Amino acid sequence: MKSSFFIAVHFFGQALTQATFPVVLNSTFATSGARNVRIDTGTYGPPVEEVHYFYDQWPIGLAVSKTGRIFTCYTRGSYAYTLGEVINETAEAAYPDQVWNTPPQGLSTVSNGITFGSNDEGHFISVQALYVTPDDTLWVLDTGRPTISESGRISMPYAAPGGPKLVAINLTTNSVRKTYTLPPTVHYPDSYMNDLRFDLRSNATESGGGIAYIVDSSNEGRTGFIMIDLATGDSWRQLNQHPSTQAISEDVPSYQGLPFYLRQPGHPLGFQGEGLDGAELDQFGEVMYYSALTTDYLYSIETQYLRANPNNNPLADKRASDNVKNVGQRGGNANGFSGDSLGNVYMLMPEYNAIYIYNYTTQLAVPYIRDPRMVWPDSANVGWDGYIYFTINQLPYQPDWNDGVDGRQYPGLILRSRLPDGASKNTLLM
Ligand SMILES: *[C@@H]1O[C@H](CO)[C@@H](O)[C@H](O)[C@H]1NC(C)=O
Ligand SMILES: *[C@@H]1O[C@H](CO)[C@@H](O)[C@H](O)[C@H]1NC(C)=O
Ligand SMILES: *[C@@H]1O[C@H](CO)[C@@H](O)[C@H](O)[C@H]1NC(C)=O
Ligand SMILES: *[C@@H]1O[C@H](CO)[C@@H](O)[C@H](O)[C@H]1NC(C)=O
Ligand SMILES: *[C@@H]1O[C@H](CO)[C@@H](O)[C@H](O)[C@H]1NC(C)=O
């Protein structure tokens, strides 16, 4: 204890001469044994609390409402439902009901001998991400691309228009308010919509109804941003296959000290090929910070360039790609992002069981929390209660990445931690 206190003081001393740390690194090191050998505890930052335990389905995304309701989603597969609400510490239930979670024609269809994801606009196929806006709307992002197993080979069929969609649910009435689908010129058959952010201010678009920013992480490589004008339903793309949105080729990350290749049954040895994944707006909605899953670099672009619709302006594409900024390395690969009322950009760091913060004032990454329970932090969401909530799903140990062997062990988790400096949900973008 004594020596770890010394270390804390030492780190704090450094912090004062550099950028301000959001937390005091009070427990990175401890000592062990008769000779006080220094060990890495794998822990720092404010306490990490266990909020929910998953025993039936592995979660991907989550969102917390104004009143503290927690919604989770699950990519599928064979799961009974793909959108759920947490009902107690150990159970969730299909949301808004089982009907929405059960496409009558199944999750996929075969056309001319080729399997496609279902084109059903009125049911959820495979929900990847969720977001709650301050008007208490739950936004549901359905990729329309389930995982299917055909003669022992796991694959993800191409999407059919109608299946990939953005659905708005009113949390007061628990009913679907609006569904947005995308034309094949915006959502390609091999697109994969991974995460979403919103600016609902009337001046964000000409039509005044707000905008959705969606990342396309396409493992097939046609990455980029998809924008939807929420008033007109118009949609367009930006930064198509721009290097900043692409996966790094042949990246070999390490999780829990283990190097990871992609070992899919029936396929040659591969590499994680997911592109654009984490994305978060600055506090004022003027800059988007983003990165691909497999890169150590963080990028940014002013949102005015993403909002420009190339269908109305032939220079919009060029302007967007010319205005991407590489804001440097952040210390590792990052998964999902989140943001708060003070403008902190949280980045989930699966290689380090950690969450880092990018501070765009100092342009530096700083530590926030680290904990051995964070075996693949996947997706994060800041609540109105001053906590950041995040899912833990042990994803690298799933069968599809390990020669068909499922190395995951229930329960999956929702963890939470108090935000620094009294931060809370950012409600400016209303
Ligand atoms: C580390 O410091 C944070 C912030 O001051 C505090 O909340 C937390 O309890 C401390 N953790 C430990 C393990 O001492
Ligand atoms: C949680 O809900 C499930 C499903 O309704 C029920 O079986 C279980 O007993 C509940 N657990 C607790 C701790 O209330
Ligand atoms: C949700 O439904 C309630 C009750 O009908 C209504 O007052 C509210 O305006 C709706 N919210 C939105 C964002 O449409
Ligand atoms: C929208 O209005 C806010 C002030 O309400 C301003 O700060 C912001 O820059 C405006 N955004 C755009 C895109 O004009
Ligand atoms: C970043 O660091 C600056 C300077 O230390 C600090 O004032 C600010 O609160 C931090 N956070 C953000 C989001 O800029």
Side-chain angles (χ1 to χ4, degrees), residues 108-127:
S108 58
T109 57
V110 178
S111 168
N112 294 325
I114 302 170
T115 305
F116 290 90
S118 162
N119 63 357
D120 190 335
E121 292 179 20
H123 296 84
F124 296 130
I125 316 297
S126 183
V127 176

PDB file of all heavy atoms in Angstrom, residues 108-127:
ATOM      1  N   SER A 108     -33.185 -14.453 -43.236  1.00  0.00           N
ATOM      2  CA  SER A 108     -32.548 -14.377 -44.561  1.00  0.00           C
ATOM      3  C   SER A 108     -33.439 -15.032 -45.601  1.00  0.00           C
ATOM      4  O   SER A 108     -34.384 -15.748 -45.269  1.00  0.00           O
ATOM      5  CB  SER A 108     -31.174 -15.053 -44.520  1.00  0.00           C
ATOM      6  OG  SER A 108     -31.309 -16.391 -44.109  1.00  0.00           O
ATOM      7  N   THR A 109     -33.136 -14.730 -46.869  1.00  0.00           N
ATOM      8  CA  THR A 109     -33.893 -15.344 -47.964  1.00  0.00           C
ATOM      9  C   THR A 109     -32.904 -15.766 -49.041  1.00  0.00           C
ATOM     10  O   THR A 109     -31.795 -15.221 -49.112  1.00  0.00           O
ATOM     11  CB  THR A 109     -34.863 -14.340 -48.635  1.00  0.00           C
ATOM     12  OG1 THR A 109     -34.099 -13.233 -49.103  1.00  0.00           O
ATOM     13  CG2 THR A 109     -35.932 -13.854 -47.698  1.00  0.00           C
ATOM     14  N   VAL A 110     -33.307 -16.699 -49.888  1.00  0.00           N
ATOM     15  CA  VAL A 110     -32.444 -17.128 -50.986  1.00  0.00           C
ATOM     16  C   VAL A 110     -33.073 -16.666 -52.292  1.00  0.00           C
ATOM     17  O   VAL A 110     -34.258 -16.860 -52.523  1.00  0.00           O
ATOM     18  CB  VAL A 110     -32.256 -18.661 -50.980  1.00  0.00           C
ATOM     19  CG1 VAL A 110     -31.387 -19.105 -52.158  1.00  0.00           C
ATOM     20  CG2 VAL A 110     -31.629 -19.107 -49.664  1.00  0.00           C
ATOM     21  N   SER A 111     -32.257 -15.958 -53.091  1.00  0.00           N
ATOM     22  CA  SER A 111     -32.749 -15.480 -54.369  1.00  0.00           C
ATOM     23  C   SER A 111     -31.735 -15.874 -55.439  1.00  0.00           C
ATOM     24  O   SER A 111     -30.548 -15.549 -55.315  1.00  0.00           O
ATOM     25  CB  SER A 111     -32.913 -13.958 -54.286  1.00  0.00           C
ATOM     26  OG  SER A 111     -33.122 -13.414 -55.554  1.00  0.00           O
ATOM     27  N   ASN A 112     -32.187 -16.597 -56.477  1.00  0.00           N
ATOM     28  CA  ASN A 112     -31.288 -17.122 -57.524  1.00  0.00           C
ATOM     29  C   ASN A 112     -30.089 -17.851 -56.931  1.00  0.00           C
ATOM     30  O   ASN A 112     -28.957 -17.690 -57.392  1.00  0.00           O
ATOM     31  CB  ASN A 112     -30.778 -15.986 -58.423  1.00  0.00           C
ATOM     32  CG  ASN A 112     -31.905 -15.369 -59.235  1.00  0.00           C
ATOM     33  OD1 ASN A 112     -32.823 -16.081 -59.651  1.00  0.00           O
ATOM     34  ND2 ASN A 112     -31.850 -14.069 -59.428  1.00  0.00           N
ATOM     35  N   GLY A 113     -30.326 -18.610 -55.869  1.00  0.00           N
ATOM     36  CA  GLY A 113     -29.248 -19.410 -55.274  1.00  0.00           C
ATOM     37  C   GLY A 113     -28.318 -18.621 -54.368  1.00  0.00           C
ATOM     38  O   GLY A 113     -27.362 -19.173 -53.825  1.00  0.00           O
ATOM     39  N   ILE A 114     -28.567 -17.311 -54.209  1.00  0.00           N
ATOM     40  CA  ILE A 114     -27.699 -16.501 -53.332  1.00  0.00           C
ATOM     41  C   ILE A 114     -28.487 -16.100 -52.088  1.00  0.00           C
ATOM     42  O   ILE A 114     -29.644 -15.690 -52.200  1.00  0.00           O
ATOM     43  CB  ILE A 114     -27.201 -15.232 -54.066  1.00  0.00           C
ATOM     44  CG1 ILE A 114     -26.438 -15.627 -55.333  1.00  0.00           C
ATOM     45  CG2 ILE A 114     -26.326 -14.375 -53.152  1.00  0.00           C
ATOM     46  CD1 ILE A 114     -26.132 -14.462 -56.241  1.00  0.00           C
ATOM     47  N   THR A 115     -27.851 -16.237 -50.917  1.00  0.00           N
ATOM     48  CA  THR A 115     -28.532 -15.881 -49.676  1.00  0.00           C
ATOM     49  C   THR A 115     -28.355 -14.388 -49.395  1.00  0.00           C
ATOM     50  O   THR A 115     -27.245 -13.851 -49.494  1.00  0.00           O
ATOM     51  CB  THR A 115     -27.957 -16.701 -48.505  1.00  0.00           C
ATOM     52  OG1 THR A 115     -28.058 -18.084 -48.836  1.00  0.00           O
ATOM     53  CG2 THR A 115     -28.718 -16.447 -47.217  1.00  0.00           C
ATOM     54  N   PHE A 116     -29.459 -13.728 -49.083  1.00  0.00           N
ATOM     55  CA  PHE A 116     -29.448 -12.316 -48.680  1.00  0.00           C
ATOM     56  C   PHE A 116     -30.079 -12.188 -47.307  1.00  0.00           C
ATOM     57  O   PHE A 116     -30.904 -13.014 -46.927  1.00  0.00           O
ATOM     58  CB  PHE A 116     -30.269 -11.464 -49.670  1.00  0.00           C
ATOM     59  CG  PHE A 116     -29.624 -11.314 -51.014  1.00  0.00           C
ATOM     60  CD1 PHE A 116     -29.897 -12.232 -52.028  1.00  0.00           C
ATOM     61  CD2 PHE A 116     -28.751 -10.268 -51.265  1.00  0.00           C
ATOM     62  CE1 PHE A 116     -29.298 -12.104 -53.274  1.00  0.00           C
ATOM     63  CE2 PHE A 116     -28.158 -10.129 -52.510  1.00  0.00           C
ATOM     64  CZ  PHE A 116     -28.424 -11.052 -53.511  1.00  0.00           C
ATOM     65  N   GLY A 117     -29.733 -11.108 -46.598  1.00  0.00           N
ATOM     66  CA  GLY A 117     -30.462 -10.790 -45.383  1.00  0.00           C
ATOM     67  C   GLY A 117     -31.900 -10.456 -45.742  1.00  0.00           C
ATOM     68  O   GLY A 117     -32.191 -10.055 -46.873  1.00  0.00           O
ATOM     69  N   SER A 118     -32.798 -10.605 -44.789  1.00  0.00           N
ATOM     70  CA  SER A 118     -34.208 -10.297 -45.019  1.00  0.00           C
ATOM     71  C   SER A 118     -34.387  -8.830 -45.426  1.00  0.00           C
ATOM     72  O   SER A 118     -33.664  -7.955 -44.955  1.00  0.00           O
ATOM     73  CB  SER A 118     -34.992 -10.582 -43.741  1.00  0.00           C
ATOM     74  OG  SER A 118     -36.242  -9.928 -43.787  1.00  0.00           O
ATOM     75  N   ASN A 119     -35.377  -8.575 -46.297  1.00  0.00           N
ATOM     76  CA  ASN A 119     -35.668  -7.189 -46.700  1.00  0.00           C
ATOM     77  C   ASN A 119     -36.852  -6.613 -45.914  1.00  0.00           C
ATOM     78  O   ASN A 119     -37.453  -5.628 -46.320  1.00  0.00           O
ATOM     79  CB  ASN A 119     -35.956  -7.119 -48.205  1.00  0.00           C
ATOM     80  CG  ASN A 119     -37.210  -7.917 -48.572  1.00  0.00           C
ATOM     81  OD1 ASN A 119     -37.819  -8.557 -47.718  1.00  0.00           O
ATOM     82  ND2 ASN A 119     -37.573  -7.894 -49.837  1.00  0.00           N
ATOM     83  N   ASP A 120     -37.154  -7.226 -44.774  1.00  0.00           N
ATOM     84  CA  ASP A 120     -38.339  -6.867 -43.990  1.00  0.00           C
ATOM     85  C   ASP A 120     -38.134  -5.525 -43.271  1.00  0.00           C
ATOM     86  O   ASP A 120     -37.289  -5.411 -42.383  1.00  0.00           O
ATOM     87  CB  ASP A 120     -38.595  -7.993 -42.980  1.00  0.00           C
ATOM     88  CG  ASP A 120     -39.927  -7.857 -42.271  1.00  0.00           C
ATOM     89  OD1 ASP A 120     -40.439  -6.735 -42.167  1.00  0.00           O
ATOM     90  OD2 ASP A 120     -40.431  -8.894 -41.814  1.00  0.00           O
ATOM     91  N   GLU A 121     -38.915  -4.516 -43.673  1.00  0.00           N
ATOM     92  CA  GLU A 121     -38.808  -3.182 -43.046  1.00  0.00           C
ATOM     93  C   GLU A 121     -39.500  -3.124 -41.699  1.00  0.00           C
ATOM     94  O   GLU A 121     -39.253  -2.218 -40.906  1.00  0.00           O
ATOM     95  CB  GLU A 121     -39.505  -2.113 -43.920  1.00  0.00           C
ATOM     96  CG  GLU A 121     -38.837  -1.840 -45.213  1.00  0.00           C
ATOM     97  CD  GLU A 121     -39.597  -0.794 -46.030  1.00  0.00           C
ATOM     98  OE1 GLU A 121     -40.391  -0.028 -45.449  1.00  0.00           O
ATOM     99  OE2 GLU A 121     -39.378  -0.766 -47.249  1.00  0.00           O
ATOM    100  N   GLY A 122     -40.421  -4.052 -41.470  1.00  0.00           N
ATOM    101  CA  GLY A 122     -41.306  -3.951 -40.313  1.00  0.00           C
ATOM    102  C   GLY A 122     -40.886  -4.812 -39.125  1.00  0.00           C
ATOM    103  O   GLY A 122     -41.621  -4.889 -38.138  1.00  0.00           O
ATOM    104  N   HIS A 123     -39.701  -5.479 -39.249  1.00  0.00           N
ATOM    105  CA  HIS A 123     -39.217  -6.306 -38.143  1.00  0.00           C
ATOM    106  C   HIS A 123     -37.707  -6.153 -38.026  1.00  0.00           C
ATOM    107  O   HIS A 123     -37.040  -5.824 -39.007  1.00  0.00           O
ATOM    108  CB  HIS A 123     -39.571  -7.780 -38.385  1.00  0.00           C
ATOM    109  CG  HIS A 123     -41.045  -8.050 -38.416  1.00  0.00           C
ATOM    110  ND1 HIS A 123     -41.793  -7.874 -39.556  1.00  0.00           N
ATOM    111  CD2 HIS A 123     -41.901  -8.440 -37.443  1.00  0.00           C
ATOM    112  CE1 HIS A 123     -43.068  -8.168 -39.283  1.00  0.00           C
ATOM    113  NE2 HIS A 123     -43.152  -8.502 -38.005  1.00  0.00           N
ATOM    114  N   PHE A 124     -37.190  -6.419 -36.835  1.00  0.00           N
ATOM    115  CA  PHE A 124     -35.737  -6.333 -36.638  1.00  0.00           C
ATOM    116  C   PHE A 124     -35.060  -7.618 -37.095  1.00  0.00           C
ATOM    117  O   PHE A 124     -35.494  -8.715 -36.760  1.00  0.00           O
ATOM    118  CB  PHE A 124     -35.409  -6.072 -35.168  1.00  0.00           C
ATOM    119  CG  PHE A 124     -35.908  -4.744 -34.671  1.00  0.00           C
ATOM    120  CD1 PHE A 124     -36.642  -4.657 -33.500  1.00  0.00           C
ATOM    121  CD2 PHE A 124     -35.627  -3.576 -35.378  1.00  0.00           C
ATOM    122  CE1 PHE A 124     -37.095  -3.428 -33.033  1.00  0.00           C
ATOM    123  CE2 PHE A 124     -36.082  -2.342 -34.919  1.00  0.00           C
ATOM    124  CZ  PHE A 124     -36.818  -2.269 -33.749  1.00  0.00           C
ATOM    125  N   ILE A 125     -33.954  -7.444 -37.853  1.00  0.00           N
ATOM    126  CA  ILE A 125     -33.184  -8.590 -38.345  1.00  0.00           C
ATOM    127  C   ILE A 125     -31.993  -8.821 -37.401  1.00  0.00           C
ATOM    128  O   ILE A 125     -31.907  -9.843 -36.727  1.00  0.00           O
ATOM    129  CB  ILE A 125     -32.640  -8.344 -39.782  1.00  0.00           C
ATOM    130  CG1 ILE A 125     -33.705  -7.710 -40.695  1.00  0.00           C
ATOM    131  CG2 ILE A 125     -32.053  -9.625 -40.365  1.00  0.00           C
ATOM    132  CD1 ILE A 125     -34.917  -8.530 -40.961  1.00  0.00           C
ATOM    133  N   SER A 126     -31.074  -7.834 -37.346  1.00  0.00           N
ATOM    134  CA  SER A 126     -29.887  -7.961 -36.491  1.00  0.00           C
ATOM    135  C   SER A 126     -29.470  -6.557 -36.073  1.00  0.00           C
ATOM    136  O   SER A 126     -28.905  -5.806 -36.863  1.00  0.00           O
ATOM    137  CB  SER A 126     -28.754  -8.660 -37.262  1.00  0.00           C
ATOM    138  OG  SER A 126     -27.638  -8.852 -36.425  1.00  0.00           O
ATOM    139  N   VAL A 127     -29.783  -6.210 -34.834  1.00  0.00           N
ATOM    140  CA  VAL A 127     -29.548  -4.840 -34.361  1.00  0.00           C
ATOM    141  C   VAL A 127     -28.129  -4.732 -33.795  1.00  0.00           C
ATOM    142  O   VAL A 127     -27.722  -5.529 -32.951  1.00  0.00           O
ATOM    143  CB  VAL A 127     -30.607  -4.419 -33.321  1.00  0.00           C
ATOM    144  CG1 VAL A 127     -30.294  -3.036 -32.781  1.00  0.00           C
ATOM    145  CG2 VAL A 127     -31.998  -4.457 -33.945  1.00  0.00           C
TER     146      VAL A 127
END
